Short mmCIF file of all heavy atoms in Angstrom, two decimals:
data_model
loop_
_atom_site.label_atom_id
_atom_site.label_comp_id
_atom_site.label_asym_id
_atom_site.label_seq_id
_atom_site.Cartn_x
_atom_site.Cartn_y
_atom_site.Cartn_z
N SER R 1 153.46 34.99 -211.44
CA SER R 1 152.77 36.25 -211.76
C SER R 1 152.73 36.46 -213.27
O SER R 1 153.51 35.86 -214.00
CB SER R 1 153.42 37.43 -211.08
OG SER R 1 154.73 37.64 -211.57
N GLN R 2 151.87 37.30 -213.71
CA GLN R 2 151.61 37.55 -215.13
C GLN R 2 151.77 39.03 -215.41
O GLN R 2 151.87 39.83 -214.49
CB GLN R 2 150.17 37.12 -215.45
CG GLN R 2 149.79 35.77 -214.86
CD GLN R 2 148.35 35.43 -215.06
OE1 GLN R 2 147.99 34.71 -215.99
NE2 GLN R 2 147.48 35.94 -214.21
N PRO R 3 151.80 39.42 -216.69
CA PRO R 3 151.89 40.85 -217.01
C PRO R 3 150.72 41.60 -216.37
O PRO R 3 149.63 41.05 -216.23
CB PRO R 3 151.77 40.90 -218.53
CG PRO R 3 151.93 39.51 -219.03
CD PRO R 3 151.68 38.58 -217.89
N LEU R 4 150.99 42.84 -216.00
CA LEU R 4 149.94 43.64 -215.37
C LEU R 4 148.96 44.19 -216.41
O LEU R 4 149.35 44.68 -217.46
CB LEU R 4 150.56 44.84 -214.66
CG LEU R 4 151.03 44.70 -213.23
CD1 LEU R 4 151.48 46.06 -212.72
CD2 LEU R 4 149.94 44.12 -212.33
N LEU R 5 147.70 44.11 -216.08
CA LEU R 5 146.68 44.78 -216.87
C LEU R 5 146.95 46.29 -216.84
O LEU R 5 147.29 46.84 -215.79
CB LEU R 5 145.30 44.49 -216.26
CG LEU R 5 144.10 45.08 -216.96
CD1 LEU R 5 143.83 44.37 -218.28
CD2 LEU R 5 142.86 45.00 -216.08
N GLN R 6 146.83 46.94 -217.97
CA GLN R 6 147.03 48.40 -218.02
C GLN R 6 145.67 49.10 -218.20
O GLN R 6 144.79 48.57 -218.88
CB GLN R 6 147.93 48.77 -219.21
CG GLN R 6 149.30 48.09 -219.17
CD GLN R 6 150.12 48.51 -217.97
OE1 GLN R 6 150.18 49.68 -217.61
NE2 GLN R 6 150.77 47.54 -217.34
N GLU R 7 145.55 50.28 -217.60
CA GLU R 7 144.27 51.00 -217.69
C GLU R 7 143.84 51.22 -219.14
O GLU R 7 142.66 51.30 -219.43
CB GLU R 7 144.38 52.36 -216.98
CG GLU R 7 144.40 52.24 -215.47
CD GLU R 7 144.48 53.60 -214.79
OE1 GLU R 7 144.70 54.62 -215.48
OE2 GLU R 7 144.35 53.62 -213.54
N GLY R 8 144.82 51.37 -220.03
CA GLY R 8 144.49 51.66 -221.42
C GLY R 8 144.09 50.44 -222.24
O GLY R 8 143.65 50.57 -223.38
N ASP R 9 144.26 49.23 -221.68
CA ASP R 9 143.88 48.02 -222.41
C ASP R 9 142.37 48.01 -222.65
O ASP R 9 141.59 48.41 -221.76
CB ASP R 9 144.27 46.77 -221.62
CG ASP R 9 145.78 46.59 -221.48
OD1 ASP R 9 146.53 47.26 -222.21
OD2 ASP R 9 146.19 45.76 -220.64
N ASP R 10 141.98 47.52 -223.82
CA ASP R 10 140.55 47.49 -224.15
C ASP R 10 139.73 46.78 -223.08
O ASP R 10 138.65 47.26 -222.69
CB ASP R 10 140.33 46.81 -225.50
CG ASP R 10 140.73 47.69 -226.66
OD1 ASP R 10 140.90 48.91 -226.45
OD2 ASP R 10 140.87 47.16 -227.78
N GLU R 11 140.23 45.62 -222.61
CA GLU R 11 139.45 44.85 -221.64
C GLU R 11 139.38 45.58 -220.28
O GLU R 11 138.45 45.37 -219.51
CB GLU R 11 139.98 43.43 -221.49
CG GLU R 11 141.36 43.30 -220.87
CD GLU R 11 142.48 43.17 -221.91
OE1 GLU R 11 142.51 43.98 -222.85
OE2 GLU R 11 143.33 42.28 -221.72
N ALA R 12 140.36 46.43 -220.01
CA ALA R 12 140.34 47.22 -218.79
C ALA R 12 139.32 48.36 -218.92
O ALA R 12 138.53 48.61 -218.01
CB ALA R 12 141.73 47.79 -218.51
N LYS R 13 139.37 49.01 -220.07
CA LYS R 13 138.42 50.12 -220.29
C LYS R 13 136.98 49.62 -220.24
O LYS R 13 136.08 50.33 -219.80
CB LYS R 13 138.68 50.76 -221.65
CG LYS R 13 139.95 51.61 -221.70
CD LYS R 13 139.93 52.44 -222.97
CE LYS R 13 141.31 52.65 -223.54
NZ LYS R 13 141.28 52.97 -224.96
N ALA R 14 136.76 48.39 -220.70
CA ALA R 14 135.41 47.83 -220.76
C ALA R 14 134.76 47.77 -219.38
O ALA R 14 133.53 47.82 -219.27
CB ALA R 14 135.44 46.45 -221.40
N VAL R 15 135.58 47.63 -218.31
CA VAL R 15 135.02 47.55 -216.96
C VAL R 15 135.51 48.70 -216.08
O VAL R 15 135.43 48.63 -214.85
CB VAL R 15 135.32 46.19 -216.30
CG1 VAL R 15 134.53 45.07 -216.97
CG2 VAL R 15 136.82 45.89 -216.32
N ASP R 16 136.03 49.76 -216.72
CA ASP R 16 136.43 50.95 -215.98
C ASP R 16 137.51 50.64 -214.93
O ASP R 16 137.45 51.13 -213.80
CB ASP R 16 135.19 51.59 -215.32
CG ASP R 16 135.45 53.01 -214.83
OD1 ASP R 16 136.37 53.66 -215.35
OD2 ASP R 16 134.71 53.46 -213.93
N TYR R 17 138.46 49.77 -215.31
CA TYR R 17 139.53 49.40 -214.37
C TYR R 17 140.43 50.59 -214.08
O TYR R 17 140.84 51.32 -214.98
CB TYR R 17 140.37 48.26 -214.96
CG TYR R 17 141.61 47.93 -214.16
CD1 TYR R 17 141.53 47.20 -212.98
CD2 TYR R 17 142.88 48.34 -214.59
CE1 TYR R 17 142.67 46.89 -212.24
CE2 TYR R 17 144.02 48.03 -213.86
CZ TYR R 17 143.91 47.31 -212.68
OH TYR R 17 145.04 47.01 -211.96
N HIS R 18 140.73 50.77 -212.80
CA HIS R 18 141.68 51.78 -212.35
C HIS R 18 142.80 51.08 -211.57
O HIS R 18 142.51 50.24 -210.72
CB HIS R 18 141.00 52.80 -211.43
CG HIS R 18 140.14 53.78 -212.16
ND1 HIS R 18 138.98 53.42 -212.79
CD2 HIS R 18 140.29 55.11 -212.36
CE1 HIS R 18 138.44 54.50 -213.36
NE2 HIS R 18 139.21 55.55 -213.11
N ALA R 19 144.04 51.45 -211.84
CA ALA R 19 145.17 50.83 -211.16
C ALA R 19 145.23 51.25 -209.69
O ALA R 19 145.81 50.55 -208.87
CB ALA R 19 146.48 51.21 -211.86
N ASP R 20 144.60 52.37 -209.36
CA ASP R 20 144.60 52.86 -207.98
C ASP R 20 143.17 53.28 -207.61
O ASP R 20 142.70 54.33 -208.05
CB ASP R 20 145.56 54.04 -207.85
CG ASP R 20 145.71 54.52 -206.41
OD1 ASP R 20 144.95 54.05 -205.54
OD2 ASP R 20 146.58 55.36 -206.17
N ALA R 21 142.55 52.46 -206.79
CA ALA R 21 141.15 52.73 -206.42
C ALA R 21 141.00 54.12 -205.78
O ALA R 21 139.96 54.76 -205.92
CB ALA R 21 140.65 51.66 -205.46
N ALA R 22 142.07 54.58 -205.11
CA ALA R 22 141.99 55.87 -204.42
C ALA R 22 141.83 57.02 -205.40
O ALA R 22 141.45 58.13 -205.01
CB ALA R 22 143.24 56.08 -203.57
N LYS R 23 142.14 56.77 -206.69
CA LYS R 23 142.06 57.84 -207.68
C LYS R 23 140.79 57.77 -208.52
O LYS R 23 140.64 58.52 -209.49
CB LYS R 23 143.29 57.80 -208.59
CG LYS R 23 144.53 58.25 -207.84
CD LYS R 23 145.76 58.29 -208.73
CE LYS R 23 146.99 58.70 -207.92
NZ LYS R 23 148.21 58.12 -208.45
N VAL R 24 139.88 56.88 -208.16
CA VAL R 24 138.63 56.78 -208.92
C VAL R 24 137.78 58.02 -208.67
O VAL R 24 137.61 58.45 -207.53
CB VAL R 24 137.86 55.50 -208.52
CG1 VAL R 24 136.51 55.46 -209.21
CG2 VAL R 24 138.66 54.25 -208.87
N ASP R 25 137.30 58.59 -209.75
CA ASP R 25 136.43 59.77 -209.66
C ASP R 25 134.99 59.28 -209.58
O ASP R 25 134.46 58.69 -210.53
CB ASP R 25 136.65 60.62 -210.93
CG ASP R 25 135.75 61.85 -210.97
OD1 ASP R 25 134.80 61.94 -210.15
OD2 ASP R 25 136.00 62.70 -211.83
N ARG R 26 134.36 59.49 -208.45
CA ARG R 26 133.02 58.93 -208.24
C ARG R 26 131.99 59.52 -209.18
O ARG R 26 130.96 58.90 -209.45
CB ARG R 26 132.59 59.13 -206.79
CG ARG R 26 133.48 58.37 -205.83
CD ARG R 26 132.99 58.45 -204.41
NE ARG R 26 131.80 57.64 -204.19
CZ ARG R 26 131.14 57.62 -203.05
NH1 ARG R 26 131.52 58.38 -202.05
NH2 ARG R 26 130.09 56.84 -202.91
N ALA R 27 132.26 60.69 -209.69
CA ALA R 27 131.33 61.29 -210.66
C ALA R 27 131.35 60.51 -211.97
O ALA R 27 130.32 60.33 -212.63
CB ALA R 27 131.68 62.75 -210.89
N LYS R 28 132.55 60.03 -212.33
CA LYS R 28 132.68 59.29 -213.58
C LYS R 28 132.47 57.79 -213.39
O LYS R 28 132.22 57.07 -214.35
CB LYS R 28 134.09 59.51 -214.17
CG LYS R 28 134.32 60.91 -214.69
CD LYS R 28 135.72 61.00 -215.30
CE LYS R 28 136.08 62.44 -215.66
NZ LYS R 28 137.54 62.65 -215.65
N SER R 29 132.61 57.34 -212.18
CA SER R 29 132.48 55.91 -211.86
C SER R 29 131.51 55.74 -210.70
O SER R 29 131.90 55.43 -209.57
CB SER R 29 133.84 55.33 -211.49
OG SER R 29 134.80 55.57 -212.50
N PRO R 30 130.21 55.95 -210.99
CA PRO R 30 129.21 55.97 -209.90
C PRO R 30 129.08 54.66 -209.12
O PRO R 30 128.56 54.66 -208.00
CB PRO R 30 127.90 56.32 -210.62
CG PRO R 30 128.16 56.11 -212.08
CD PRO R 30 129.62 56.24 -212.30
N LYS R 31 129.56 53.56 -209.70
CA LYS R 31 129.46 52.28 -208.97
C LYS R 31 130.48 52.16 -207.86
O LYS R 31 130.36 51.29 -206.98
CB LYS R 31 129.68 51.11 -209.94
CG LYS R 31 128.46 50.75 -210.77
CD LYS R 31 128.76 49.48 -211.53
CE LYS R 31 127.48 48.83 -212.05
NZ LYS R 31 127.83 47.64 -212.86
N TYR R 32 131.51 53.00 -207.91
CA TYR R 32 132.57 52.90 -206.92
C TYR R 32 132.10 53.39 -205.55
O TYR R 32 131.42 54.41 -205.43
CB TYR R 32 133.77 53.74 -207.36
CG TYR R 32 134.86 53.83 -206.32
CD1 TYR R 32 135.70 52.75 -206.09
CD2 TYR R 32 135.03 54.98 -205.55
CE1 TYR R 32 136.68 52.81 -205.11
CE2 TYR R 32 136.01 55.05 -204.58
CZ TYR R 32 136.83 53.97 -204.36
OH TYR R 32 137.79 54.03 -203.40
N ALA R 33 132.48 52.64 -204.53
CA ALA R 33 132.27 53.10 -203.16
C ALA R 33 133.60 52.99 -202.44
O ALA R 33 134.34 52.01 -202.63
CB ALA R 33 131.22 52.25 -202.46
N PRO R 34 133.94 53.99 -201.63
CA PRO R 34 135.21 53.98 -200.91
C PRO R 34 135.40 52.66 -200.14
O PRO R 34 134.44 52.15 -199.56
CB PRO R 34 135.10 55.16 -199.96
CG PRO R 34 134.13 56.08 -200.63
CD PRO R 34 133.16 55.19 -201.36
N GLY R 35 136.60 52.15 -200.17
CA GLY R 35 136.89 50.90 -199.48
C GLY R 35 136.95 49.71 -200.43
O GLY R 35 137.56 48.70 -200.12
N GLN R 36 136.31 49.85 -201.60
CA GLN R 36 136.35 48.76 -202.58
C GLN R 36 137.70 48.74 -203.28
O GLN R 36 138.13 49.76 -203.83
CB GLN R 36 135.26 48.95 -203.63
CG GLN R 36 133.85 48.89 -203.08
CD GLN R 36 132.79 49.12 -204.15
OE1 GLN R 36 133.08 49.52 -205.28
NE2 GLN R 36 131.54 48.88 -203.79
N THR R 37 138.35 47.58 -203.27
CA THR R 37 139.59 47.39 -204.03
C THR R 37 139.60 45.96 -204.55
O THR R 37 138.83 45.11 -204.07
CB THR R 37 140.86 47.57 -203.16
OG1 THR R 37 140.85 46.56 -202.13
CG2 THR R 37 140.95 48.95 -202.54
N CYS R 38 140.49 45.70 -205.49
CA CYS R 38 140.64 44.33 -205.98
C CYS R 38 140.91 43.38 -204.81
O CYS R 38 140.39 42.26 -204.78
CB CYS R 38 141.76 44.25 -207.01
SG CYS R 38 141.38 45.12 -208.55
N ALA R 39 141.70 43.84 -203.85
CA ALA R 39 142.08 42.97 -202.73
C ALA R 39 140.87 42.44 -201.97
O ALA R 39 140.92 41.34 -201.42
CB ALA R 39 143.01 43.72 -201.78
N ASN R 40 139.77 43.20 -201.94
CA ASN R 40 138.61 42.70 -201.22
C ASN R 40 137.44 42.37 -202.16
O ASN R 40 136.28 42.35 -201.74
CB ASN R 40 138.20 43.65 -200.07
CG ASN R 40 137.82 45.04 -200.55
OD1 ASN R 40 137.32 45.20 -201.67
ND2 ASN R 40 138.04 46.05 -199.72
N CYS R 41 137.78 42.05 -203.40
CA CYS R 41 136.79 41.65 -204.40
C CYS R 41 136.77 40.13 -204.50
O CYS R 41 137.81 39.48 -204.43
CB CYS R 41 137.16 42.27 -205.74
SG CYS R 41 136.19 41.65 -207.15
N SER R 42 135.59 39.57 -204.69
CA SER R 42 135.48 38.11 -204.73
C SER R 42 136.17 37.50 -205.95
O SER R 42 136.46 36.31 -205.97
CB SER R 42 134.02 37.69 -204.71
OG SER R 42 133.37 38.12 -205.89
N LEU R 43 136.46 38.29 -206.96
CA LEU R 43 137.09 37.77 -208.17
C LEU R 43 138.62 37.79 -208.10
O LEU R 43 139.29 37.33 -209.02
CB LEU R 43 136.62 38.56 -209.40
CG LEU R 43 135.14 38.37 -209.73
CD1 LEU R 43 134.66 39.46 -210.68
CD2 LEU R 43 134.91 37.02 -210.35
N TYR R 44 139.15 38.36 -207.03
CA TYR R 44 140.60 38.51 -206.91
C TYR R 44 141.25 37.24 -206.37
O TYR R 44 140.74 36.63 -205.44
CB TYR R 44 140.92 39.68 -205.97
CG TYR R 44 142.39 40.03 -205.89
CD1 TYR R 44 143.06 40.53 -206.99
CD2 TYR R 44 143.10 39.87 -204.70
CE1 TYR R 44 144.41 40.87 -206.93
CE2 TYR R 44 144.44 40.20 -204.62
CZ TYR R 44 145.09 40.69 -205.74
OH TYR R 44 146.41 41.02 -205.66
N ALA R 45 142.38 36.86 -206.97
CA ALA R 45 143.15 35.70 -206.53
C ALA R 45 144.53 36.18 -206.09
O ALA R 45 145.39 36.42 -206.92
CB ALA R 45 143.28 34.70 -207.66
N PRO R 46 144.73 36.37 -204.79
CA PRO R 46 146.00 36.90 -204.30
C PRO R 46 147.16 35.99 -204.67
O PRO R 46 146.99 34.77 -204.79
CB PRO R 46 145.83 36.94 -202.78
CG PRO R 46 144.46 36.51 -202.47
CD PRO R 46 143.79 36.05 -203.72
N ASP R 47 148.33 36.60 -204.84
CA ASP R 47 149.55 35.87 -205.16
C ASP R 47 150.50 36.08 -203.99
O ASP R 47 151.37 36.95 -204.02
CB ASP R 47 150.13 36.42 -206.48
CG ASP R 47 151.37 35.66 -206.94
OD1 ASP R 47 151.74 34.67 -206.28
OD2 ASP R 47 151.95 36.05 -207.96
N GLY R 48 150.28 35.35 -202.93
CA GLY R 48 151.08 35.53 -201.72
C GLY R 48 150.95 36.95 -201.21
O GLY R 48 149.85 37.47 -201.11
N ASP R 49 152.08 37.57 -200.90
CA ASP R 49 152.08 38.94 -200.38
C ASP R 49 152.32 39.95 -201.49
O ASP R 49 152.55 41.13 -201.21
CB ASP R 49 153.19 39.10 -199.34
CG ASP R 49 152.82 38.43 -198.03
OD1 ASP R 49 151.61 38.21 -197.81
OD2 ASP R 49 153.72 38.12 -197.24
N LYS R 50 152.29 39.52 -202.74
CA LYS R 50 152.59 40.43 -203.84
C LYS R 50 151.51 41.50 -203.99
O LYS R 50 150.36 41.29 -203.63
CB LYS R 50 152.72 39.62 -205.14
CG LYS R 50 153.89 38.65 -205.08
CD LYS R 50 154.33 38.26 -206.47
CE LYS R 50 155.54 37.34 -206.39
NZ LYS R 50 155.29 36.04 -207.01
N PRO R 51 151.91 42.66 -204.55
CA PRO R 51 150.95 43.77 -204.70
C PRO R 51 149.96 43.56 -205.85
O PRO R 51 149.09 44.39 -206.05
CB PRO R 51 151.85 44.98 -204.96
CG PRO R 51 153.11 44.41 -205.51
CD PRO R 51 153.28 43.04 -204.91
N SER R 52 150.12 42.46 -206.58
CA SER R 52 149.17 42.19 -207.66
C SER R 52 148.83 40.71 -207.65
O SER R 52 149.53 39.89 -207.05
CB SER R 52 149.78 42.58 -209.01
OG SER R 52 150.95 41.84 -209.26
N GLY R 53 147.72 40.38 -208.29
CA GLY R 53 147.29 38.99 -208.33
C GLY R 53 146.33 38.78 -209.49
O GLY R 53 146.09 39.70 -210.29
N GLY R 54 145.78 37.61 -209.56
CA GLY R 54 144.88 37.29 -210.66
C GLY R 54 143.49 37.85 -210.45
O GLY R 54 143.10 38.20 -209.34
N CYS R 55 142.75 37.95 -211.53
CA CYS R 55 141.35 38.37 -211.48
C CYS R 55 140.58 37.45 -212.41
O CYS R 55 141.04 37.18 -213.53
CB CYS R 55 141.19 39.81 -211.95
SG CYS R 55 139.47 40.24 -212.30
N GLY R 56 139.45 36.96 -211.94
CA GLY R 56 138.63 36.05 -212.74
C GLY R 56 138.19 36.62 -214.07
O GLY R 56 137.83 35.88 -214.97
N LEU R 57 138.25 37.93 -214.21
CA LEU R 57 137.81 38.56 -215.46
C LEU R 57 138.90 38.57 -216.53
O LEU R 57 138.58 38.67 -217.71
CB LEU R 57 137.44 40.03 -215.22
CG LEU R 57 136.16 40.38 -214.50
CD1 LEU R 57 135.98 41.89 -214.53
CD2 LEU R 57 134.97 39.68 -215.11
N PHE R 58 140.15 38.50 -216.11
CA PHE R 58 141.25 38.73 -217.05
C PHE R 58 142.19 37.54 -217.14
O PHE R 58 142.95 37.26 -216.21
CB PHE R 58 142.03 39.99 -216.67
CG PHE R 58 141.16 41.20 -216.57
CD1 PHE R 58 140.90 41.77 -215.34
CD2 PHE R 58 140.58 41.75 -217.70
CE1 PHE R 58 140.08 42.88 -215.23
CE2 PHE R 58 139.76 42.86 -217.61
CZ PHE R 58 139.51 43.42 -216.37
N TYR R 59 142.12 36.82 -218.23
CA TYR R 59 142.98 35.67 -218.43
C TYR R 59 144.37 36.14 -218.87
O TYR R 59 144.50 36.93 -219.80
CB TYR R 59 142.39 34.76 -219.51
CG TYR R 59 143.23 33.55 -219.77
CD1 TYR R 59 143.20 32.46 -218.89
CD2 TYR R 59 144.07 33.48 -220.88
CE1 TYR R 59 143.99 31.35 -219.11
CE2 TYR R 59 144.87 32.37 -221.10
CZ TYR R 59 144.82 31.30 -220.20
OH TYR R 59 145.61 30.21 -220.43
N GLY R 60 145.40 35.67 -218.15
CA GLY R 60 146.77 35.96 -218.55
C GLY R 60 147.29 37.31 -218.10
O GLY R 60 148.40 37.69 -218.45
N LYS R 61 146.51 38.05 -217.32
CA LYS R 61 146.99 39.34 -216.80
C LYS R 61 146.65 39.47 -215.33
O LYS R 61 145.63 38.97 -214.87
CB LYS R 61 146.36 40.50 -217.58
CG LYS R 61 146.88 40.55 -219.02
CD LYS R 61 146.67 41.88 -219.66
CE LYS R 61 147.20 41.86 -221.09
NZ LYS R 61 146.59 42.88 -221.93
N ASP R 62 147.54 40.15 -214.61
CA ASP R 62 147.29 40.41 -213.20
C ASP R 62 146.75 41.82 -213.01
O ASP R 62 146.96 42.70 -213.84
CB ASP R 62 148.61 40.30 -212.41
CG ASP R 62 148.99 38.85 -212.12
OD1 ASP R 62 148.16 37.96 -212.37
OD2 ASP R 62 150.11 38.63 -211.64
N VAL R 63 146.06 42.00 -211.92
CA VAL R 63 145.56 43.34 -211.56
C VAL R 63 146.22 43.74 -210.23
O VAL R 63 146.69 42.87 -209.48
CB VAL R 63 144.03 43.36 -211.42
CG1 VAL R 63 143.37 43.03 -212.75
CG2 VAL R 63 143.53 42.41 -210.34
N LEU R 64 146.25 45.01 -209.95
CA LEU R 64 146.84 45.49 -208.71
C LEU R 64 145.84 45.32 -207.56
O LEU R 64 144.66 45.62 -207.71
CB LEU R 64 147.24 46.95 -208.85
CG LEU R 64 148.48 47.17 -209.74
CD1 LEU R 64 148.63 48.63 -210.11
CD2 LEU R 64 149.74 46.65 -209.05
N ALA R 65 146.35 44.87 -206.42
CA ALA R 65 145.50 44.69 -205.24
C ALA R 65 144.79 45.99 -204.88
O ALA R 65 143.66 45.99 -204.40
CB ALA R 65 146.34 44.20 -204.06
N LYS R 66 145.46 47.12 -205.14
CA LYS R 66 144.86 48.43 -204.81
C LYS R 66 144.01 48.97 -205.95
O LYS R 66 143.54 50.11 -205.88
CB LYS R 66 145.95 49.42 -204.42
CG LYS R 66 146.86 49.78 -205.58
CD LYS R 66 147.91 50.81 -205.18
CE LYS R 66 148.75 51.13 -206.41
NZ LYS R 66 149.41 52.36 -206.43
N GLY R 67 143.82 48.17 -206.99
CA GLY R 67 143.01 48.62 -208.13
C GLY R 67 141.52 48.45 -207.87
O GLY R 67 141.08 48.09 -206.76
N TRP R 68 140.75 48.72 -208.90
CA TRP R 68 139.29 48.61 -208.80
C TRP R 68 138.70 48.59 -210.22
O TRP R 68 139.29 49.16 -211.14
CB TRP R 68 138.71 49.83 -208.06
CG TRP R 68 137.20 49.83 -207.99
CD1 TRP R 68 136.41 49.23 -207.04
CD2 TRP R 68 136.28 50.45 -208.91
NE1 TRP R 68 135.08 49.44 -207.32
CE2 TRP R 68 134.97 50.18 -208.45
CE3 TRP R 68 136.43 51.19 -210.08
CZ2 TRP R 68 133.82 50.63 -209.13
CZ3 TRP R 68 135.29 51.64 -210.74
CH2 TRP R 68 134.00 51.37 -210.26
N CYS R 69 137.56 47.94 -210.37
CA CYS R 69 136.80 48.06 -211.62
C CYS R 69 135.33 47.95 -211.29
O CYS R 69 134.95 47.60 -210.16
CB CYS R 69 137.22 47.00 -212.65
SG CYS R 69 136.33 45.44 -212.51
N ASN R 70 134.48 48.23 -212.28
CA ASN R 70 133.04 48.30 -211.97
C ASN R 70 132.37 46.92 -211.88
O ASN R 70 131.17 46.84 -211.68
CB ASN R 70 132.31 49.25 -212.92
CG ASN R 70 132.25 48.74 -214.35
OD1 ASN R 70 132.49 47.56 -214.61
ND2 ASN R 70 131.94 49.62 -215.28
N ALA R 71 133.18 45.85 -211.98
CA ALA R 71 132.64 44.50 -211.76
C ALA R 71 132.94 44.04 -210.33
O ALA R 71 132.72 42.87 -209.99
CB ALA R 71 133.23 43.53 -212.77
N TRP R 72 133.43 44.97 -209.52
CA TRP R 72 133.76 44.63 -208.14
C TRP R 72 132.58 43.94 -207.46
O TRP R 72 131.43 44.38 -207.60
CB TRP R 72 134.12 45.89 -207.35
CG TRP R 72 134.54 45.61 -205.93
CD1 TRP R 72 135.81 45.35 -205.48
CD2 TRP R 72 133.70 45.55 -204.78
NE1 TRP R 72 135.80 45.14 -204.12
CE2 TRP R 72 134.52 45.24 -203.66
CE3 TRP R 72 132.33 45.71 -204.57
CZ2 TRP R 72 134.02 45.11 -202.37
CZ3 TRP R 72 131.82 45.56 -203.28
CH2 TRP R 72 132.67 45.28 -202.19
N GLU R 73 132.89 42.87 -206.74
CA GLU R 73 131.87 42.12 -206.00
C GLU R 73 132.38 41.84 -204.61
O GLU R 73 133.51 41.40 -204.44
CB GLU R 73 131.63 40.77 -206.68
CG GLU R 73 130.31 40.66 -207.41
CD GLU R 73 130.18 39.29 -208.06
OE1 GLU R 73 130.34 38.29 -207.35
OE2 GLU R 73 129.93 39.25 -209.27
N LYS R 74 131.52 42.05 -203.66
CA LYS R 74 131.91 41.82 -202.27
C LYS R 74 132.31 40.36 -202.06
O LYS R 74 131.62 39.46 -202.53
CB LYS R 74 130.72 42.16 -201.36
CG LYS R 74 131.04 42.20 -199.89
CD LYS R 74 129.77 42.63 -199.14
CE LYS R 74 129.87 42.38 -197.65
NZ LYS R 74 130.90 43.13 -196.97
N LYS R 75 133.44 40.19 -201.40
CA LYS R 75 133.89 38.85 -201.08
C LYS R 75 132.93 38.23 -200.07
O LYS R 75 132.53 38.89 -199.11
CB LYS R 75 135.30 38.94 -200.48
CG LYS R 75 136.14 37.71 -200.73
CD LYS R 75 137.46 37.80 -200.01
CE LYS R 75 138.47 38.60 -200.77
NZ LYS R 75 139.80 38.58 -200.15
N ALA R 76 132.54 36.99 -200.31
CA ALA R 76 131.56 36.34 -199.42
C ALA R 76 132.14 36.10 -198.03
O ALA R 76 133.33 35.93 -197.89
CB ALA R 76 131.12 35.02 -200.02
FE1 SF4 E 1 139.61 44.05 -209.41
FE2 SF4 E 1 137.44 42.62 -208.88
FE3 SF4 E 1 137.49 44.24 -210.98
FE4 SF4 E 1 138.92 42.03 -210.98
S1 SF4 E 1 136.67 42.15 -210.91
S2 SF4 E 1 139.62 44.06 -211.65
S3 SF4 E 1 139.56 41.86 -208.83
S4 SF4 E 1 137.60 44.85 -208.80
#
């Protein structure tokens, strides 16, 4: 596992990353739809049963499975 991406990191802000998808404000993040999380995003790379894993967007940092960002893509 790698250090966790923080909401305040520049690369996180660039894609509106939230550590908890349940707390996304749909008025401020219109791309968000309920049910979307890193865990069901095509860019997410799970790390076993851990609560965080890799994301194709962020080199060297992990994201939370329950997180979300506006680059979310439906897993094929
Ligand atoms: Fe999470 Fe997907 Fe955004 Fe990566 S691209 S932070 S896995 S929603």
Side-chain angles (χ1 to χ4, degrees):
S1 66
Q2 315 174 97
L4 272 186
L5 181 71
Q6 302 297 317
E7 287 181 350
D9 293 346
D10 285 345
E11 67 263 49
K13 287 193 214 158
V15 290
D16 195 23
Y17 172 77
H18 284 68
D20 186 351
K23 289 183 182 150
V24 175
D25 178 348
R26 296 185 73 185
K28 290 182 188 154
S29 305
K31 280 188 163 176
Y32 173 75
Q36 296 178 349
T37 62
C38 292
N40 61 30
C41 170
S42 66
L43 292 164
Y44 187 66
D47 184 4
D49 286 339
K50 296 201 177 120
S52 60
C55 166
L57 287 186
F58 305 110
Y59 180 78
K61 292 199 180 157
D62 281 350
V63 297
L64 288 166
K66 67 178 181 157
W68 177 87
C69 88
N70 68 16
W72 183 90
E73 252 179 53
K74 190 177 166 63
K75 209 186 277 186

